[in-house]
Every structure is written in structure tokens, then in C-alpha cells.
Amino acid sequence: MPFKLVSFTGDQDFELIPDQTYIVGRAVTSEIPIFDPTISRRHAELRVGKASVSLKDLGSSNGTFINGERVTDGTLEAGDSVTFGKVVFQLKTPEMGSARLVTTGQNLPHPGGTIVKQIAMSGGVPPGIVGEAVPAPADAGQGQLKVAAANTGERNARKLSLLLEVSQKLSGELDLDKLLGRVVETTFDVMGVDRVSVLLKTDSGELVPRVSKSRLGDSSAQHVPRSIARKAVEERVAILTDNAVADDRFKGGASIMLQSVRSAMCIPLMAGPEMVLGILYVDNLTATNSFSDEDLQFLIAFGGLAAIAIKNSRFAEQIQREAMVRSNFERYFAPNVAAEIAMQQGAVKLGGDKRPVTILFSDIRGFTTMSEHMSPDSIASLLSDYFTEMVDIIFANGGTLDKFIGDAIMALWGAPIPHADDPDRAVQAAIAMQRAIAALNEKWVAEGRPSISVGIGINYGDTFAGNIGSHLRLEYTVIGDAVNVASRLCSNAKGSEILISDPLYQVLKQKPPVEARDPLSVKNRAQAVPVWRVKV
């Protein structure tokens, strides 16, 4: 009876002729060449008979398995699966058609396709079964935890010592990428597994691979079975499974079948009862029954330590980000506004949006003429004193320093953090600025320095507010017709005057005493803009 050896993925098949002998291996001279890093150059030998195929492992590094059981010699019959390294094939006959190898485990004689244990988790739980578990099969292995001890008491002590060592190692690393790398490396150090992966949840709840590593050196470590990961996260259970391909609870898990996962453990990384940060996943690709209850218990404890370390790392990143944001924005925003921006990730977005803003411009009258008779040091000293006083007043009234333009100041209210009384704050700031300038003039005259007079213009209207510039330099500012009107009001204000537009006056909650000024003609506007002068 002719046979065919068909790979699980369907991308390879080999005709097996009766009374012939075939060498399976990675070498190009092999009769059945399989180019995979888990395959030895001369991996196994197949002798084809009339009703079966005899198999002999040729001392391969990663073993040969029939229906999930590692063998040195064995016999394959139609429908059996054979795994070389981690690559799965099925022995088929023409009567079996072209259907791919098992999707529900019906054709695998090996009965171990079950969740051996699942443990409900309530957040960082140390070793200890807190949920119902499926009993382990009688042929379960001795586990993969690398702890040598003469008796149970000594073994428990060494496990606790190992966890303490792991805790110290992880708690000292605050860089998230380096921390995750340590988690993976430590898992390989303490357990005999083929692959380790850490997936973390995004803000949208999606599980994203962050770090994966395979002892076999292949790229398949990047793929964690979605069905197992989903169950661990959604049900918050730690899972130990043997021969996941054959487990009906993972029916439809194509990713499991594509990877030929034999034994796997998956735990949710929980930093609190309601805080699932992601998953830690380990598996063996070749042997079933390779993990024990003790392995799962230890992985839960280790995962709890890893979850706390990840949470601390994220907290450290948040503090660092807030410190950076505050150091950058406190130059432009009031300290309390900068603190609010730092706490609200995304408060200042790349790009921008349309929003109503109150814009204030102030300008020293006759400054160019005055500076012609002053030394550069005197000009710098005067402007430094002036700007310091003005910015303090702007910040005290919750405003944003947009920019200095020579001796002029542009300030905002309503961006990036809006408040219901932004227009009132701007007017109060302008009044305080004029009063502070009068006090500065008295001080400067007494010191023999020149006095100044400042005109202020304020407008209210819709603007585009956001980060504007090039990839080399971005500046948070506002643009639009409302900004141009505010600038024109400032240009028309005499020394010690505060001019406000009618749109601003109409939205003030507490209207100051004002008097009408001649309407202002603005470029590209058919009608003049009504103007009010605030009585200081």
C-alpha cells in the first residue's frame, strides 16, 4: 500500500515507495529534506513496508516523536503523526484524501490533549491552588523547574530562595524593554522550556507581543496561540495544557495547530485583582506531559513578581515623562497648568484642533527709539525685569505664554487647558499688568532708569491651536483671524491702554467698566470691529 508523508502545514509532502529506505534530515542530500533549525543533518530513518513504516531516530538533538511520544524506534501506521524536531507530519494513504492533519484531535491516538490544570487568579497570587483543577494524567512528567534538592523541605526552601533572587533581579530594572528581556532570560534560566513570550495589553485591550525568544533560534517565538492567550486574559486563569492541538477547548485555534504546540503554560500578568497587564507564555514543541503542577505554581509566583516589576517600570516611565513635560512646559504655562498637562497624557497633541481662545498682545510703546540711547546690557536688564513681572501675572491668572516677539508678549487663555472663565482671567491679567508697569516705572525712575508705557489688546474667537512647525522644531501656538484682530487691537492701543474686542466683551462674566473707542478697520473684513477701552 503506497504512503505519503504530509507536513501539518501542507507545504511539503513526500511519496513513500514500499521496500525503500529514506533518510530524514536537514542536509540537502537527504531523501526527505526538512530545512528547519530543529532538524539534525541526519535526523531519522524510515523503512517503508506494505502496511506500515518503521522509524528509527539517528541520534537527533531535538528528538523524534510518534503521536506526541518520543521514540528511538517505532512503527508508523496510516493516520499517525510523526514529529521531527518541531516539524509535524502525518502518514497518509490515498484513501484518506487531501484533508489536512487533525483539527480536533480525532486522528491522534494520543489521549493527552487536555487542559491538565487551570488555576483561577485574583491578582499577583503566589503559589497555591485557588481554583478547581483537572487531575494530571498518570504518565505526567517530572516537570521542568531547575531546582535540585534531596527532599521536599529543601526543595521548597530553594524555590523560595530562587523567587527572592528573581525579585531582587527584576525590581532593580526600571527600563521596560530591559525588564522584559530579563523576565524572558530568567524564565529560561529557571525552567526547561523551548520558547518564552511576553505579551502586554495596550490601552485598547489588544495583546501585543513585546519580547519573545526561542531556545531553538527560530522566528516562530513571535507567535503565541491566540486561543490560549485569550482564555488566560478573559477568564483570568493560569493554564497548563498538554498536546494543545488535540484539546477541544482550543478548537478552531489554527495558530496552535500551525505551531504544533505539545505542552504549554500561560499565565495572566496581574498587578491587582482588576489589572491584567498581559500574559507570560512558555511551551515545549516536542514532548507532551513535560510540565508539572509544580511548574505551573512556580510560574504563577514568578509571573506575580514580573507583573509588579512591570507596573513599577510603567510608573517610573510615567514619572519621568511627567517630569520632562513639566520641565518643558513650565516655561510657557503656569506651573499648575503644566502639572495638569503632565498628568493628562495627550493633553497637548501633535497636530491640533479648532477651539475658542482668548488672545492677549502687549507691546512697549516707543521701545526702538528708547533703546537707541541705552547699552545692550541695560536693554537686556530692563526687558528681563519687565518680562519676569508680566509672565508671573499671566501665569497667576492661568494663562499660557505663547511667545516673546521682540519687546512684545503674546499670551493665551483657553489653550491647551480650557476654563469656563478664560476671558475674565485674560482681562484681569491685563489690568494687573498695567498696574505692575506703573509700579515698575516708579522703581526705575528712582534708580535713574527710563520708564515705559505699554499698550494691550485682547480678542476672543475661534483659532487653530496645536503644535506647529517642522520636524526639527515644534511650537505650541494658535493661528487664525482672531489672533490677527488681537494684534491689531494692541497696535492701536496707546500707552497704558487696554483695548478689547466686542466678541470678548460679550462673553465676559464680570464686565469691567469700559468706554467705546472708534471701530477698528481690519484687513479682509468688510465691517469695522467694535472696540472697547477698559478703564484701569
Side-chain angles (χ1 to χ4, degrees):
M1 180 174 61
F3 291 104
K4 180 179 285 190
L5 198 63
V6 181
S7 68
F8 181 73
T9 55
D11 58 350
Q12 283 186 295
D13 62 80
F14 302 95
E15 295 285 349
L16 302 181
I17 300 173
D19 301 323
Q20 295 290 320
T21 299
Y22 299 86
I23 299 297
V24 178
R26 197 172 72 246
V28 294
T29 55
S30 302
E31 286 83 8
I32 299 179
I34 305 173
F35 303 112
D36 186 275
T38 64
I39 306 296
S40 299
R41 292 181 60 80
R42 286 175 55 84
H43 196 102
E45 178 186 87
L46 299 178
R47 293 180 179 272
V48 185
K50 294 185 185 214
S52 63
V53 175
S54 298
L55 179 147
K56 180 180 180 180
D57 184 83
L58 299 178
S60 65
S61 300
N62 295 303
T64 303
F65 305 78
I66 295 178
N67 296 326
E69 299 294 339
R70 186 163 185 164
V71 298
T72 302
D73 296 281
T75 300
L76 286 169
E77 297 181 352
D80 285 348
S81 72
V82 56
T83 305
F84 306 106
K86 78 171 185 65
V87 184
V88 186
F89 285 81
Q90 185 180 31
L91 188 67
K92 304 181 73 171
T93 62
E95 290 78 12
M96 296 175 66
S98 59
R100 284 194 182 183
L101 175 66
V102 286
T103 58
T104 65
Q106 295 171 353
N107 297 326
L108 278 177
H110 180 65
T114 59
I115 295 178
V116 174
K117 186 176 291 295
Q118 64 180 48
I119 299 177
M121 295 188 58
S122 56
V125 181
I129 297 177
V130 296
E132 294 297 324
V134 178
D139 60 345
Q142 295 302 308
Q144 301 297 323
L145 187 60
K146 298 177 182 179
V147 176
N151 53 60
T152 301
E154 181 183 349
R155 187 172 180 82
N156 288 337
R158 291 195 174 183
K159 284 193 292 184
L160 290 174
S161 176
L162 181 57
L163 286 172
L164 177 60
E165 181 183 337
V166 168
S167 176
Q168 293 171 339
K169 183 186 294 186
L170 297 183
S171 63
E173 182 58 73
L174 294 179
D175 180 275
L176 184 57
D177 290 332
K178 292 180 180 178
L179 170 63
L180 296 178
R182 284 192 179 184
V183 169
V184 170
E185 291 297 335
T186 303
T187 308
F188 277 118
D189 290 342
V190 301
M191 303 192 82
V193 297
D194 289 337
R195 303 186 300 185
V196 182
S197 293
V198 177
L199 283 69
L200 296 183
K201 285 179 66 177
T202 64
D203 292 338
S204 62
E206 180 184 4
L207 277 175
V208 175
R210 286 297 302 264
V211 60
S212 297
K213 189 173 181 180
S214 170
R215 196 187 298 279
L216 308 174
D218 65 343
S219 60
S220 63
Q222 297 296 327
H223 304 289
V224 174
R226 290 187 298 273
S227 50
I228 292 178
R230 185 168 57 248
K231 181 178 179 66
V233 171
E234 293 178 356
E235 300 182 22
R236 297 179 186 176
V237 293
I239 298 169
L240 189 162
T241 180
D242 277 331
N243 197 8
V245 174
D247 195 324
D248 286 341
R249 274 165 289 194
F250 299 131
K251 185 176 181 180
S255 57
I256 293 175
M257 294 183 288
L258 289 174
Q259 295 175 69
S260 65
V261 174
R262 292 299 172 190
S263 297
M265 293 190 294
C266 183
I267 64 166
L269 294 169
M270 299 185 66
E274 304 297 328
M275 186 181 296
V276 180
L277 303 180
I279 63 163
L280 172 61
Y281 171 87
V282 301
D283 66 20
N284 279 328
L285 299 174
T286 52
T288 57
N289 302 324
S290 63
F291 295 124
S292 67
D293 286 2
E294 182 186 45
D295 293 334
L296 185 61
Q297 301 284 356
F298 190 88
L299 193 67
I300 291 172
F302 173 67
L305 297 175
I308 292 172
I310 292 169
K311 181 181 178 182
N312 290 341
S313 172
R314 286 180 166 177
F315 185 61
E317 284 185 352
Q318 179 183 354
I319 292 175
Q320 185 178 18
R321 183 188 66 82
E322 290 180 5
M324 181 183 67
V325 170
R326 292 186 68 163
S327 66
N328 286 332
F329 287 116
E330 278 183 351
R331 293 177 294 169
Y332 306 102
F333 306 134
N336 62 319
V337 175
E340 191 173 351
I341 293 171
M343 292 175 63
Q344 298 179 18
Q345 187 169 0
V348 178
K349 303 175 183 176
L350 291 176
D353 52 22
K354 184 179 180 180
R355 63 170 68 191
V357 173
T358 303
I359 309 106
L360 179 150
F361 279 91
S362 70
D363 190 28
I364 299 176
R365 295 292 169 252
F367 182 76
T368 302
T369 301
M370 181 179 69
S371 63
E372 291 175 353
H373 305 286
M374 299 173 64
S375 68
D377 288 345
S378 297
I379 295 172
S381 176
L382 183 144
L383 285 178
S384 179
D385 290 347
Y386 166 68
F387 284 147
T388 298
E389 191 76 20
M390 298 301 101
V391 171
D392 285 347
I393 292 171
I394 291 168
F395 284 175
N397 286 274
T400 296
L401 173 64
D402 185 287
K403 62 175 68 71
F404 297 123
I405 311 168
D407 61 295
I409 297 173
M410 178 180 171
L412 313 172
W413 280 260
I417 306 294
H419 302 91
D421 60 344
D422 281 325
D424 293 85
R425 295 185 186 208
V427 172
Q428 293 304 315
I431 293 172
M433 289 166 71
Q434 292 292 17
R435 290 173 179 169
I437 291 166
L440 278 175
N441 282 333
E442 289 183 11
K443 175 186 173 185
W444 288 341
V445 169
E447 295 172 351
R449 300 165 73 182
S451 62
I452 62 173
S453 62
V454 174
I456 298 176
I458 315 175
N459 185 35
Y460 172 86
D462 286 335
T463 65
F464 174 86
N467 289 290
I468 297 171
S470 71
H471 67 285
L472 297 176
R473 176 179 171 80
L474 285 174
E475 181 180 73
Y476 188 84
T477 189
V478 295
I479 57 176
D481 182 63
V483 180
N484 299 332
V485 171
S487 178
R488 288 280 289 130
L489 287 168
C490 179
S491 298
N492 281 267
K494 299 176 182 177
S496 303
E497 272 192 336
I498 301 171
L499 299 185
I500 65 174
S501 66
D502 189 64
L504 174 67
Y505 182 74
Q506 297 302 326
V507 296
L508 290 173
K509 298 180 184 299
Q510 297 181 347
K511 293 179 171 53
V514 296
E515 62 182 16
R517 278 279 302 265
D518 293 337
L520 180 67
S521 296
V522 178
K523 186 178 179 181
N524 297 327
R525 286 204 176 191
Q527 295 182 339
V529 176
V531 177
W532 302 93
R533 182 175 72 85
V534 177
K535 297 180 180 180
V536 181

